[in-house]
Amino acid sequence: MPAGLLPISYASIIVGFTGFAFTLFTFLRVFWDSIRTMWSAPKELRQLLDNVRTELYGERAYFKNAIKQAKSKSKISTRETPEIAPLSILNDSIKEMMRHFRNMEAPFLDDAESSENLDIEKSERVSLRGNYARMDFRRRYIWLQIKPDFIDVANQVTRIQARRIAYETSNTLSIFLCVCAVLAACAAWTPIVVKNVTELGPQISPDVTQVSRDGGYSVLLDGRIVWLYDDTECFDLGQKQRSFVSNTAAYARDPNKNVSMLQDFGVEAVGKEKNSGITDYAILADKTVGTGGWIAFSDDELYFNKERKGRERVAIWPGTSPTPYSTTQAFMFCPLVYVDSKPKNPSKRYQARGMTLISISSSSKGPIATRHGDLIISGNEIAYGGFTSLLGYTSTANPQDLDKRDVYLLGTTDGGLQLARARQEVLTDFSKYRFWDPVELKFINTPPKVNEKEYKKIYLPGSFTYGSIFYSPYFNTFIMVYFNKFVDSTFRIRFLDLNNPVGQDPNWPKLGKHGEGIAPEDIEALVKYGWSPEQELYKSPPGKGGFNYAGMAHPEYFNRQYFAPSLYPSSTPASRRHNHWYGSDTVLEEDAGGDGKHILLSWTSQLKGGFDGGIYQVHLAKVEFDAVPENPGGNFPSAAASSSMPSLSLASSALIPTVMMSATSTSLIKSSGTALTSTGSAGRSAQRSWSLDSWLLLERWTLWFGLLLLPILSIWGYTMW
């Protein structure tokens, strides 16, 4: 011990170094957070501003319409009537927030747009998507300064939405007491209770050396589970690209031994590793994306892609799970997407061209895709079928058509889900589609506006990107599992509430069709009953590269009633109208507790974020539901007796008519239609680096380490002295 150095000096030195370490870590955290905010400004800004703008204008449209309706019902049309006053106060708050928001976003918009100085009261054209300027250093610095202000506006909108919802429950001055009474009486009953979740890890592709792909959609056909994927890129062991195509398909190799194992097709040897001499294998060894992949391109699309050599391309992404129309065949609507790898305006990276119709079958050589025409639905229309499609009975209002089948197609918009209906045999003819009018409660000939903002004119208002709607034999109703637009990696779920009929149709009272529940083919129930409020189902763990996306449910696993009874050949006895059990390695059938009590989930995890160098992987998890709790407000419907339903085989029904609809224009126009919220663009639109939570965790551990180290060093110093 040096002479003259007292123990208190040692303690002072230790305290000084510890304090300096805390200060340094705090400085580094703040500095790194600032750099991260400025670096990710182009992605974070577009997403946050578009979301806030959508919510603001949605609330403004609601209050404007609500005040108008309230005044029309009241003989005294002043702002001080008890019914109108709460709406007027909230409406004034929204208008002030909109003015504040437009002032804040002005520095980030193109000069042409920012100089418009739109009047929020009088402007007939309000875009929900900003035309953002290039993010130079000055704008990044401004974003660093005012990002908290935008978040504060978003929080204020959320609070106003809560007050608006409270107002909707009552037209009296005692809104709060009324809401409390309703909540106490109803107790927010739901049949869906999660018992546990088991993470199953990533899917495994042993046929290729290394693969990165997103999506992960599935269908059971002819005893084989088909998995479909969007952009697929293969690498060698040194991360050198070996192939890139816009879609691929695979089989579940043996779902009763390992639900994660895949069998890929179109695999080719593409060379050997330099050091080890190991042969590399890739899927469809075509770096130009020329063949499109599993779903082939048309001639003009093929020519366009080869000419542009990857800088610009047309992609075909499955985007959703196929819909079976027999036990051996299925169909799906896939988005055609124009992709610009280096756009002048980053918001134009992905642009919708429209939807094309694909039919799918299976063979020993792999899944087979047949494309029917070019664009069935143009890019200027809502992407019907892009979220999901369902096949079932025709309307009870047309008993003469019981041998026909309807297809319900759901597409996403900025305001929620919109619904269309078409006969199975005319799916290629968009002019034969009919569209649900939530106000008139009927299907009409006129499609809704793509940018419809009025909630009452939207089939299901809300936020949706990827999802599935299917009949659950466990809950005896349709359920919806989906991701919304918020990048929180969380699965949401709703159920079709048969205790909540819409309208006064005597065929569809409480508890289902004729009061006897519903069958899997009763898709008309989607417009005869309301959907339950949104519930959180499961928050998937994000990968190192950022948030998860493409969340899907796969009801063909752990479920012998995946196919509706009428999808089997008419000669099949009722006792044999069930499929095999898949997923025995995870859940044995005898221990399952019933069909549909367990469900398989998938999502795309970003191992490495980025548009060009990203690495993506599809992960799986198994959810087990708990027993359905008793409903204090009424009975929970049971399954409808399928024996009374028509048993015409859909296998004999033609999906596509003999004479094909003529292909629409194949010119590669950059359509300005619906945003591709059901495709990979939503997942690739933003990335996350090391999060603030990680810094806080590091700082917390450093603090504890310092507190533990201080007395130890003090004791050591005293001992040495």
Side-chain angles (χ1 to χ4, degrees), residues 18 60 83 101 226 266 297 342 364 388 409 504 507 583 657 667:
T18 304
R60 173 70 183 116
E83 186 174 354
F101 176 79
V226 181
F297 285 135
K342 297 180 179 179
S364 59
T388 194
L409 306 102
Q504 303 295 325
N507 293 315
S667 60

Side-chain angles (χ1 to χ4, degrees), residues 68 114 132 142 334 389 414 506 509 546 626 682 692 715:
K68 182 178 179 181
S114 61
Y132 299 109
I142 295 174
C334 300
S389 300
D414 286 340
D626 212 336
L692 180 60
I715 294 173

Side-chain angles (χ1 to χ4, degrees), residues 49 64 70 155 170 210 228 235 259 323 330 353 359 426 471 528 571 573 582 593 597 613 631 669 692 699 709:
L49 266 62
K64 190 174 181 180
N155 293 333
S170 173
Q210 287 197 82
L228 309 178
F235 307 91
V259 297
T323 302
R353 287 195 60 224
S359 60
V426 297
Y471 182 84
K528 298 300 181 180
S571 59
Y582 298 100
K597 187 179 180 183
N631 183 5
I669 300 174
L692 180 60
E699 187 179 50
L709 188 63

